[in-house]
Amino acid sequence: MEIPRIEIPQIQIKEIFIPKTRTWEQYPTTLDIIDKPKIDYPVVNIPSFEPLDYNPDKFIPTDPVKQPEQKQQTVPQEPEYKLPVKKDKEFFIKCPNETNIPVGSYPNEQKLQVVVSHKLSPDGKVCYEILKDSTFIEKWIPSPPILVSTSIIAVTAASSPLIANLLKNLIKSAIKKISKSGKNEKK
């Protein structure tokens, strides 16, 4: 198999005219403190512009790019609100319902009565609470968890000055012993 010969076309590089600038002619050295402007040799930056290589024979016309069609956003419609239909008769009534006081709660702040249970009325349409008179202990002594947490807080608050005093004495004596042992070792 023969290796085909690859020919490279001749490359032509255009000659660009670059004017020679002699900086020592434009800015002569002076020993003056303040430079005086030289009007004889104005410093001019020559603007350069290189046009595009436009060849009408190689021009390829193209169609303008079509913009993608944008979908118009649809405005969401408000949902229709339907009023709940009121039932004339409910076969079963929930007892206790959301309006009733829970069992074990007090209907007022005086805690004179406590809710024991709930019962339907004879016609079966209303659920009402069955109340029982509360005792002295229920009225004035709080529940056991509240009683325990409150008493722990009270004992801690009452004993904290005693504990602080003990800790203070222990720390003082420990510091004295450490300082004495440090002095003995130095001697």
Side-chain angles (χ1 to χ4, degrees):
M1 173 176 197
E2 278 187 46
I3 298 175
R5 185 172 178 169
I6 300 173
E7 292 184 19
I8 300 173
Q10 187 177 6
I11 299 173
Q12 295 179 356
I13 299 174
K14 294 180 183 178
E15 192 173 323
I16 300 172
F17 173 73
I18 300 173
K20 292 185 179 180
T21 56
R22 297 181 187 159
T23 56
W24 59 88
E25 290 179 353
Q26 291 177 358
Y27 299 109
T29 56
T30 60
L31 299 175
D32 293 342
I33 295 174
I34 299 173
D35 289 336
K36 296 178 182 134
K38 298 284 182 182
I39 301 176
D40 306 4
Y41 304 104
V43 178
V44 178
N45 289 333
I46 301 171
S48 64
F49 174 72
E50 190 173 324
L52 297 172
D53 276 343
Y54 174 71
N55 189 348
D57 297 333
K58 294 182 180 178
F59 182 72
I60 302 171
T62 59
D63 293 335
V65 177
K66 289 184 179 178
Q67 294 291 329
E69 292 183 19
Q70 294 181 355
K71 296 178 182 177
Q72 289 199 359
Q73 295 179 353
T74 57
V75 179
Q77 295 178 352
E78 292 182 23
E80 294 181 19
Y81 180 76
K82 294 181 181 178
L83 293 173
V85 179
K86 220 177 199 185
K87 296 180 182 177
D88 291 337
K89 289 185 178 179
E90 289 188 18
F91 192 70
F92 292 109
I93 295 197
K94 189 176 175 186
C95 187
N97 57 26
E98 301 83 31
T99 59
N100 293 113
I101 302 170
V103 174
S105 299
Y106 300 97
N108 55 25
E109 290 182 20
Q110 285 82 24
K111 298 185 178 182
L112 299 174
Q113 295 177 325
V114 65
V115 177
V116 178
S117 64
H118 296 86
K119 187 175 181 181
L120 279 173
S121 62
D123 62 354
K125 292 184 178 181
V126 180
C127 179
Y128 59 91
E129 296 91 6
I130 297 176
L131 302 173
K132 171 185 105 172
D133 288 338
S134 58
T135 63
F136 174 80
I137 294 173
E138 290 174 341
K139 287 181 194 175
W140 298 106
I141 298 178
S143 64
I146 295 173
L147 188 64
V148 168
S149 65
T150 306
S151 59
I152 288 173
I153 292 170
V155 167
T156 306
S159 64
S160 61
L162 296 172
I163 294 170
N165 223 359
L166 287 173
L167 286 174
K168 179 179 145 188
N169 292 337
L170 285 172
I171 292 171
K172 262 188 182 178
S173 62
I175 291 173
K176 284 181 182 178
K177 286 181 183 178
I178 292 171
S179 63
K180 284 181 183 178
S181 64
K183 289 179 183 178
N184 291 338
E185 289 176 9
K186 289 181 182 178
K187 291 181 181 182

